[in-house]
Amino acid sequence: MRRLTYIFAVLILFVKFSYSQVYPFVNDYPVNPILLNPALVATYNYLNINLSSFRLFALPYAPSHYSLTVSKRYFKMGGSLQILKQGSGPWNNYNLGGSYFYEVKFNYNLKAAFSLSSYLQFDQLNKDQLQGLLPDPEIANYRRNRNLQFGFGSILYSKDWVLGFSVANLLKTRSFVQMPTTYIFLASYFYKHPINLYYLNAVFISGVNRESIYLEPEAIFYLKKVLKLGGAVNLQYYFNQKFYPKASIITGLNVGNRLYFTYVAQYDFIAANIFLARWHMFLSLNFKIINHKQDIPRFF
């Protein structure tokens, strides 16, 4: 018991001084979990290639995210390469980065992993898309710039569960759009049927930054390693304002335990837009290259 207390104390202190990945890509965890916490690569026993996207449905120049990640572990270490793009109207942000993790084994079942990550950001503002009668001096003098983000992630895990801590955006950048520092807690429980009839994955995520606090419980059911069906609820509260609840339907298809297609439709109950424009859409295509000597890995 004393050893577990020490482990949790180390994790909490570690996350207090460490930061990981780029907000708002952490919200894309339903289709690419390592964007939430790069240390999760330690739980993958294969080469993983993930191409994912997010955007608001039916709105021109709506916010969007695109990501390509390639990750692999090698014995007790590994990492990922990441290419990220986000945009909203005339503003676009590009990120090129990677992460490295090292695993610590406490016993046969209990392990921890700590990751170091860094990103080089490029910002671009398309002034031709801006409309206004009076020119804004800040916009008129804006130039394309580069910024650096770096950080860490940490997880404590066994074959059945994962606990993780991470914080997004350590550095205050010169970007036209400033992203707040966000503290994130992850808890995931995984159950595998003894004869592989089904899988069940329950995930709880909470985060807080200077603007809001949010809770995101999620449950996904996998049938015979082929079909995926689940749901999620996002309860986001903006300080001194109100709740902004969202609900998601998660579907997916597994082809030959190698190719995974995931589609998530999220509905925003509070948005002032028309019905169609309240929908958010997540898509991902995930390809796993698994050595025949390795066990088929679990889902996250």
Side-chain angles (χ1 to χ4, degrees):
M1 186 67 183
R2 180 179 297 177
R3 191 175 186 180
L4 285 176
T5 303
Y6 174 76
I7 292 170
F8 277 103
V10 170
L11 287 173
I12 293 172
L13 288 174
F14 190 84
V15 74
K16 189 173 182 62
F17 297 104
S18 63
Y19 300 83
S20 64
Q21 72 281 327
V22 182
Y23 183 91
F25 288 95
V26 294
N27 294 328
D28 296 351
Y29 77 91
V31 290
N32 200 342
I34 67 171
L35 296 177
L36 183 78
N37 189 330
L40 289 168
V41 176
T43 65
Y44 298 167
N45 196 27
Y46 46 82
L47 176 64
N48 183 66
I49 303 171
N50 189 300
L51 178 63
S52 61
S53 69
F54 159 84
R55 70 168 291 120
L56 271 66
F57 183 71
L59 289 177
Y61 306 114
S64 61
H65 319 151
Y66 301 94
S67 64
L68 172 64
T69 61
V70 180
S71 57
K72 181 71 170 68
R73 68 169 292 152
Y74 184 76
F75 294 105
K76 292 184 178 181
M77 62 185 69
S80 67
L81 297 175
Q82 303 174 15
I83 301 175
L84 314 174
K85 176 186 180 296
Q86 59 178 305
S88 180
W91 175 77
N92 288 285
N93 173 260
Y94 304 88
N95 299 270
L96 177 62
S99 66
Y100 167 84
F101 82 84
Y102 186 81
E103 181 183 79
V104 179
K105 185 175 181 179
F106 299 103
N107 55 48
Y108 180 76
N109 291 317
L110 186 62
K111 304 175 184 178
F114 305 93
S115 71
L116 169 67
S117 58
S118 63
Y119 297 87
L120 183 60
Q121 299 182 342
F122 301 88
D123 290 317
Q124 183 181 30
L125 185 65
N126 187 347
K127 300 177 184 178
D128 294 336
Q129 294 184 14
L130 299 176
Q131 297 179 359
L133 297 177
L134 298 176
D136 189 320
E138 183 176 354
I139 295 177
N141 297 325
Y142 185 83
R143 295 292 184 269
R144 187 180 303 179
N145 57 36
R146 296 180 297 272
N147 300 289
L148 182 66
Q149 282 287 352
F150 67 91
F152 299 89
S154 58
I155 61 171
L156 179 70
Y157 70 102
S158 72
K159 67 175 183 178
D160 297 320
W161 53 265
V162 176
L163 293 177
F165 296 91
S166 61
V167 184
N169 293 325
L170 169 61
L171 299 180
K172 184 177 181 180
T173 67
R174 294 173 293 130
S175 171
F176 188 74
V177 178
Q178 296 288 340
M179 301 298 175
T181 299
T182 303
Y183 296 79
I184 303 160
F185 170 78
L186 159 72
S188 175
Y189 175 76
F190 176 83
Y191 176 76
K192 177 181 178 181
H193 189 271
I195 58 175
N196 293 335
L197 290 180
Y198 61 86
Y199 296 80
L200 179 64
N201 189 197
V203 182
F204 176 82
I205 295 171
S206 65
V208 61
N209 55 44
R210 68 172 182 267
E211 298 175 355
S212 66
I213 182 172
Y214 62 87
L215 306 175
E216 300 186 33
E218 169 187 296
I220 305 176
F221 180 79
Y222 303 87
L223 179 62
K224 292 184 178 180
K225 301 181 182 179
V226 177
L227 299 177
K228 176 168 63 175
L229 181 63
V233 176
N234 181 311
L235 301 175
Q236 187 168 18
Y237 174 73
Y238 283 87
F239 299 124
N240 299 321
Q241 296 184 38
K242 57 182 178 180
F243 279 104
Y244 286 81
K246 302 180 183 69
S248 302
I249 299 175
I250 304 169
T251 59
L253 179 65
N254 175 7
V255 181
N257 283 327
R258 297 295 187 272
L259 185 63
Y260 296 76
F261 174 78
T262 301
Y263 173 79
V264 180
Q266 184 183 72
Y267 184 75
D268 189 338
F269 290 95
I270 303 298
N273 302 317
I274 60 175
F275 175 78
L276 286 178
R278 290 186 178 188
W279 288 94
H280 305 172
M281 181 177 66
F282 298 86
L283 286 170
S284 77
L285 190 63
N286 191 283
F287 184 67
K288 306 179 189 300
I289 301 176
I290 305 172
N291 190 297
H292 69 280
K293 295 181 180 179
Q294 298 172 327
D295 292 333
I296 300 299
R298 61 180 183 166
F299 295 89
F300 173 78

